[in-house]
């Protein structure tokens, strides 16, 4: 595992090429799609293991990107719905999974009715959220009673510069969340913590993976 994920970018504080998630990932979508194997190394199959058997369950992938977890959800037996804030990411995901309902949407304003899903996963998402309560409340709302939510928290204190195909380097805004603060936010939204695991490199934690229940 490369620890570059949580290294800070250097340069002037007034760096111009800083984008929010939507704009940044619209620019980065094609390259992101080619890096899914690298992204998987930050989870070491833990997300897949905690996902379990989802046969005949309705699952929602929030921040689906170009569909990195969609095939895993399908393989687990789930009826999959997926969303992302980036139109370009969604476009690629739709081309890869033509029978899956994939749309552009924001985690803080989910376009679904209460109690719609048995399972929700959000990987590499909360690093792009400044605060967590609104998102967690929305996820709680769309989950059925007893439904499960699986969330990952990448250790990224400041966003790295990423290079586009044009050679331009940009930064997509990100926010560092201490593991204990993520747990508190989940509990504040009335989730019950079921399991917490860490991916580590030596003594440094790389990724916090949490499974909770409504």
């Amino acid at each position: 595992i490369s620890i570059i994920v949580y290294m800070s970018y250097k340069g002037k504080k007034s760096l111009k090429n800083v984008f929010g998630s939507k704009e940044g990932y619209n620019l980065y979508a094609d390259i992101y799609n080619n890096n899914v194997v690298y992204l998987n190394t930050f989870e070491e199959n833990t997300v897949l293991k905690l996902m379990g058997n989802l046969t005949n369950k309705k699952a929602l992938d929030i921040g689906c990107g170009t569909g990195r977890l969609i095939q895993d959800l399908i393989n687990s037996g789930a009826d999959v719905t997926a969303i992302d804030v980036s139109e370009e990411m969604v476009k690629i995901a739709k081309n890869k999974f033509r029978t899956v309902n994939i749309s552009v949407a924001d985690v803080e304003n989910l376009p679904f009715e209460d109690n719609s899903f048995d399972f929700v996963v959000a990987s590499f998402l909360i690093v792009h959220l400044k605060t967590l309560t609104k998102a967690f409340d929305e996820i709680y709302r769309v989950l059925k009673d007893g439904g499960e939510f699986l969330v990952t928290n990448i250790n990224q204190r400041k966003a790295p510069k990423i290079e586009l195909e044009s050679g331009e380097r940009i930064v997509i805004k990100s926010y560092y969340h201490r593991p204990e603060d993520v747990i508190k936010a989940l509990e504040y939204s009335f989730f019950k913590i079921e399991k917490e695991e860490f991916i580590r490199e030596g003594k440094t934690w790389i990724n916090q993976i949490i499974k909770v229940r409504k």
Side-chain angles (χ1 to χ4, degrees):
I1 298 173
S2 170
I3 60 174
I4 193 172
V5 67
Y6 57 86
M7 290 175 63
S8 63
Y9 59 84
K10 299 184 182 297
K12 297 180 180 178
K13 291 183 179 179
S14 59
L15 183 67
K16 292 181 180 179
N17 292 347
V18 177
F19 296 90
S21 297
K22 181 174 182 176
E23 298 82 3
Y25 281 111
N26 278 342
L27 293 169
Y28 192 56
D30 287 332
I31 296 177
Y32 181 97
N33 189 47
N34 293 327
N35 285 337
V36 293
V37 174
Y38 171 67
L39 295 172
N40 289 341
T41 65
F42 296 100
E43 296 171 351
E44 295 185 348
N45 293 319
T46 301
V47 167
L48 184 60
K49 179 183 70 176
L50 293 180
M51 193 182 293
N53 187 342
L54 299 175
T55 300
N56 298 324
K57 293 187 177 181
K58 294 186 67 176
L60 175 63
D61 183 358
I62 300 180
C64 68
T66 61
R68 187 176 65 89
L69 293 178
I70 290 177
Q71 189 61 57
D72 290 330
L73 289 165
I74 293 171
N75 292 345
S76 75
D79 174 11
V80 184
T81 298
I83 65 166
D84 198 278
V85 73
S86 162
E87 296 93 345
E88 293 302 316
M89 295 283 233
V90 166
K91 187 185 299 183
I92 293 172
K94 281 185 171 182
N95 285 334
K96 292 164 69 176
F97 302 96
R98 296 183 182 274
T99 62
V100 176
N101 178 14
I102 307 172
S103 59
V104 177
D106 186 344
V107 64
E108 294 185 341
N109 187 24
L110 294 173
F112 307 110
E113 295 182 358
D114 297 359
N115 308 307
S116 294
F117 297 97
D118 301 287
F119 180 83
V120 175
V121 61
S123 181
F124 292 102
L125 173 73
I126 67 171
V127 69
H128 297 300
L129 302 178
K130 187 173 183 179
T131 59
L132 303 177
T133 300
K134 190 171 182 181
F136 287 170
D137 283 350
E138 271 291 89
I139 292 166
Y140 188 92
R141 179 183 67 79
V142 302
L143 268 175
K144 298 177 183 178
D145 289 342
E148 295 175 324
F149 173 37
L150 186 59
V151 60
T152 74
N153 175 34
I154 198 77
N155 183 353
Q156 184 169 279
R157 291 182 180 271
K158 287 195 177 180
K161 285 184 180 179
I162 53 179
E163 188 170 330
L164 306 180
E165 289 181 344
S166 64
E168 179 184 10
R169 303 184 78 191
I170 68 169
V171 168
I172 300 175
K173 286 182 183 178
S174 70
Y175 303 91
Y176 172 71
H177 299 290
R178 297 187 307 168
E180 57 268 36
D181 291 338
V182 177
I183 294 291
K184 286 179 182 177
L186 287 164
E187 291 177 335
Y188 185 80
S189 293
F190 299 104
F191 284 107
K192 299 175 183 177
I193 310 299
E194 289 204 327
K195 188 161 289 189
E196 177 188 28
E197 296 195 19
F198 287 90
I199 307 301
R200 300 181 183 274
E201 186 176 85
K203 295 182 179 180
T204 303
W205 71 274
I206 301 297
N207 201 3
Q208 176 193 27
I209 303 174
I210 311 166
K211 186 176 184 179
V212 300
R213 188 178 295 273
K214 177 176 177 179

